[in-house]
Amino acid sequence: MKSLFALVALASALVLSGCAAKKEPTDYSAFRESKPRSILVLPPQNQSPDVNASHGFASEVTLPLAESGYYVFPVALVEQTFRQNGLTTPEEISTVAHKKLHDIFGADTALYITITDYGTSYQVVSSETRVAATARLVDLRTGKELWKGSTFASSAENQGYNNAGILTTLLTAAISQISDTVTDRVREYAAIASVRLLSAGADGKLLYGPRSPNYGKTVSQ
């Protein structure tokens, strides 16, 4: 019996130690060595059913990147340059060699984005607008990956139907669905997801760029 208690105690200790384990801080050594000053945002690849997802998300990324301290090449100009060179889809553009991108644009880095969820789904008493994406920042001079991250934003984060009556729930759902239909609400959540993904200053996020007053400061854990 004593040995059984000992095994249970050992197992409990292992579980508790696992729960208490701290997340390892992000390794920024390649990022700091690269010292990027500019970012070329490539047209996002779209894995969602919404054909407008790539343009919709791309239009929201410049502001958080600029506020993080980087020069961002104008998205429309970048797209036009690719089109003039016969590249019209994000999939084609993502295969262009790093050195060639650096030679054409003179950018230090390129941001590769993949959209995994984008749009609004409608159910009986509710609707949900969701945007999810992943991204990685690559040094165009060396080909090294400097950073990667993911993001998610949903209208369900602010919905609280659980304690409401059925009439209130139906009325709220109807208003929400009408609002989603007459307005481009997904752009609102694309902006939220973009800010969550590309704002610097916390562990796991981008480092501040040279145009930020916080450039060189250690990110918060």
Side-chain angles (χ1 to χ4, degrees):
M1 182 63 87
K2 287 184 178 180
S3 59
L4 178 60
F5 284 139
L7 285 174
V8 171
L10 178 60
S12 300
L14 289 173
V15 170
L16 290 174
S17 63
C19 294
K22 291 184 178 179
K23 179 186 174 185
E24 289 294 324
T26 303
D27 181 4
Y28 286 107
S29 55
F31 204 133
R32 291 195 172 95
E33 182 181 0
S34 171
K35 295 183 174 63
R37 304 180 64 85
S38 59
I39 297 177
L40 175 70
V41 180
L42 301 184
Q45 297 189 62
N46 178 27
Q47 296 179 350
S48 81
D50 193 324
V51 296
N52 298 314
S54 183
H55 284 102
F57 196 88
S59 66
E60 303 294 342
V61 303
T62 300
L63 180 61
L65 287 173
E67 290 185 339
S68 293
Y70 296 95
Y71 173 76
V72 185
F73 288 78
V75 172
L77 178 62
V78 171
E79 188 173 324
Q80 180 65 22
T81 302
F82 282 124
R83 190 178 297 118
Q84 290 174 348
N85 284 274
L87 299 173
T88 58
T89 70
E91 288 71 23
E92 291 175 324
I93 294 169
S94 67
T95 64
V96 177
H98 299 147
K99 184 178 184 306
K100 191 169 185 179
L101 291 174
H102 178 63
D103 292 343
I104 293 173
F105 294 98
D108 296 336
T109 61
L111 186 68
Y112 295 80
I113 300 171
T114 300
I115 300 166
T116 55
D117 205 346
Y118 192 97
T120 301
S121 60
Y122 297 95
Q123 300 173 3
V124 177
V125 295
S126 67
S127 63
E128 181 184 5
T129 301
R130 298 161 56 95
V131 175
T134 61
R136 60 192 185 94
L137 186 68
V138 176
D139 190 320
L140 294 178
R141 300 159 297 185
T142 64
K144 289 184 178 177
E145 182 178 277
L146 306 181
W147 168 88
K148 62 181 178 181
S150 61
T151 186
F152 175 77
S154 167
S155 59
E157 296 173 28
N158 300 318
Q159 291 175 351
Y161 298 148
N162 291 340
N163 296 323
I166 184 63
L167 183 59
T168 302
T169 300
L170 290 172
L171 182 59
T172 304
I175 294 172
S176 178
Q177 292 194 11
I178 292 171
S179 175
D180 291 348
T181 302
V182 300
T183 63
D184 191 7
R185 200 176 183 197
V186 69
R187 291 286 293 274
E188 174 186 341
Y189 287 92
I192 295 171
S194 180
V195 168
R196 289 176 175 174
L197 178 66
L198 302 171
S199 295
D203 185 60
K205 303 294 185 181
L206 290 170
L207 294 178
Y208 288 113
R211 292 169 177 248
S212 169
N214 295 314
Y215 181 55
K217 290 185 178 179
T218 303
V219 297
S220 58
Q221 300 296 318

